[in-house]
Amino acid sequence: VGFVLTPLATQQSVDYLDTREFAMRPRQWLSLMTKTKATISFAPCFGYDLCARRVASTKLDEYDLSNWRVAGIGAEMIRPQTLEHFADVLAPCGFDSRAFTACYGMAECTLGVSFSPLQTGFTSHYINSDHLADHHEAVFLDDDDAQGRGRHFVNCGTPLPSFEVEIRDNGEVLDDMRSGVIFLRGPSVMSGYYNSPEDTARVLSEDGWLNTGDIGYLSNGVLTITGRKKDIIIIHGRNIWPQDLEHIAELQPEVRTGDAVAFSAPGLNDDEHCTLLVQCRERDPAKRNNLVQRLTALVRMEMSLDCDVILVPNHSLPRTSSGKLSRAKARLDYIAAQEAELAQSATMSAAA
């Protein structure tokens, strides 16, 4: 939408890099922008991380990013550490961190919903994540505050003109700093899903309010996204953000950003348990076992949570067409594999 319809409407040139091509050779992104003197380019957070990891410091003189004035970030949860690292690595190429433009959007709104101000860089709130999970309220922490477990959430700016945004909980409109489901109404919100009235009725009210399924809060008109309702892991009544578990995995030297996905799945007694799938390139059994034991211990220590850590082959985690990890599909695939394994075991037992 943004890079096909907008160039057509404004008569601007655009250069396209396929998602798979970018994932395989992310340096092409920088080379293309250097060659064309590109001024606007968007990527999800994992794209910035992957690119920064692949750029060799000895080859930075090949790139000129001084024309890049809008470096948009959206499509998934935004990690400030990733953006800071990207800016530090690419600063010698003329990249200005003030180009970062955090935003929020979705296809159901014909893309854009909110944008941070241009040429100001990104801003974030340091929030007590325990209080947020337990009480659905965003409480600020100082960076050196040791009480509770803090987490930075990047602000996604103010809604576009004519857009209305409400944070709701069971139909109640919440005040500022209260976390809930994001509802939107505006001139570019869809009229419905094509040939799917049931799905449309589930998310779109008769007066035009769209239930986004995303979780967030408002603060003085600024929208901040904290997660997605269907992705939240609920164990014994406790809300757990899958991004927190995935971040623990991605901090390990064997694991790259985007190589971990967390979700809940039914156990043998139909109780939900936490599962963390991690793509692992290591083949040595002892090192693989060490990674599993280490992650299990870290999750228990940092999250007070028992979690099944499972190593899976490279390129086995499902992704959307835009390259984002699909937790919902990973969960369904995992449950299907578990059911198939149980069925096979039952068949073998019957045969015996």
Side-chain angles (χ1 to χ4, degrees):
V1 173
F3 283 96
V4 175
L5 297 183
T6 301
L8 285 174
T10 61
Q11 296 297 293
Q12 298 292 317
S13 63
V14 63
D15 294 278
Y16 175 74
L17 183 62
D18 182 81
T19 303
R20 178 175 173 79
E21 286 293 314
F22 167 76
M24 294 177 64
R25 288 177 285 274
R27 287 189 293 260
Q28 286 189 99
W29 186 27
L30 305 183
S31 298
L32 190 59
M33 286 192 289
T34 298
K35 179 181 178 180
T36 61
K37 300 184 185 300
T39 58
I40 302 174
S41 189
F42 280 63
C45 197
F46 87 88
Y48 287 95
D49 180 78
L50 182 60
C51 192
R53 286 180 181 228
R54 296 285 182 87
V55 173
S57 58
T58 56
K59 296 183 178 180
L60 290 179
D61 56 356
E62 297 180 5
Y63 309 118
D64 178 8
L65 306 178
S66 58
N67 297 289
W68 196 359
R69 60 183 179 85
V70 179
I73 323 105
E76 62 180 17
M77 292 297 295
I78 304 170
R79 292 177 179 164
Q81 299 89 342
T82 297
L83 303 185
E84 290 167 356
H85 177 59
F86 182 89
D88 289 342
V89 171
L90 277 303
C93 307
F95 179 77
D96 187 341
S97 62
R98 291 176 297 180
F100 281 132
T101 306
C103 56
Y104 173 62
M106 63 197 67
E108 289 87 346
C109 295
T110 326
L111 205 57
V113 173
S114 69
F115 281 83
S116 358
L118 299 180
Q119 290 297 304
T120 59
F122 71 89
T123 60
S124 65
H125 291 159
Y126 188 44
I127 299 296
N128 185 323
S129 53
D130 289 331
H131 189 88
L132 180 65
D134 295 339
H135 303 285
H136 304 165
E137 181 183 23
V139 175
F140 293 133
L141 291 175
D142 295 329
D143 285 339
D144 57 352
D145 196 327
Q147 294 183 355
R149 200 165 41 84
R151 181 176 171 192
H152 286 277
F153 290 99
V154 173
N155 311 132
C156 291
T158 56
L160 294 172
S162 302
F163 255 96
E164 299 173 82
V165 178
E166 290 183 352
I167 309 299
R168 301 182 186 178
D169 181 20
N170 294 323
E172 177 189 358
V173 179
L174 303 179
D175 295 331
D176 270 19
M177 306 303 292
R178 295 294 307 280
S179 174
V181 179
I182 301 170
F183 280 75
L184 305 171
R185 184 166 64 177
S188 62
V189 172
M190 68 174 186
S191 59
Y193 292 115
Y194 181 67
N195 281 345
S196 187
E198 297 85 3
D199 290 334
T200 300
R202 197 157 36 241
V203 301
L204 193 63
S205 67
E206 292 184 358
D207 57 353
W209 283 97
L210 174 70
N211 180 345
T212 68
D214 290 321
I215 305 295
Y217 63 87
L218 286 168
S219 175
N220 295 321
V222 174
L223 180 62
T224 301
I225 315 300
T226 60
R228 184 152 182 81
K229 187 174 183 180
K230 68 178 183 180
D231 288 339
I232 292 178
I233 299 169
I234 303 176
I235 304 294
H236 304 307
R238 176 187 169 199
N239 289 349
I240 298 159
W241 306 108
Q243 294 90 346
D244 290 343
L245 301 175
E246 293 159 4
H247 186 54
I248 291 174
E250 292 167 359
L251 288 176
Q252 308 312 303
E254 305 94 330
V255 185
R256 300 191 305 189
T257 298
D259 276 1
V261 62
F263 52 83
S264 65
L268 294 177
N269 299 322
D270 289 332
D271 292 331
E272 290 288 314
H273 69 276
C274 186
T275 301
L276 179 63
L277 303 184
V278 181
Q279 289 183 164
C280 182
R281 294 160 181 78
E282 180 60 61
R283 295 184 179 182
D284 185 281
K287 292 181 179 180
R288 290 172 63 89
N289 183 65
N290 177 270
L291 176 60
V292 170
Q293 297 300 321
R294 192 189 327 142
L295 285 175
T296 302
L298 284 170
V299 171
R300 186 177 292 123
M301 179 179 66
E302 297 188 25
M303 306 287 295
S304 301
L305 178 71
D306 288 324
C307 180
D308 294 334
V309 178
I310 302 172
L311 303 186
V312 299
N314 194 23
H315 305 304
S316 61
L317 296 181
R319 296 183 180 274
T320 66
S321 58
S322 61
K324 296 183 294 182
L325 280 175
S326 174
R327 296 186 185 91
K329 182 67 165 57
R331 180 179 185 273
L332 291 175
D333 289 349
Y334 174 80
I335 292 174
Q338 294 293 97
E339 291 176 346
E341 185 176 336
L342 289 173
Q344 184 178 9
S345 298
T347 300
M348 294 177 64
S349 298

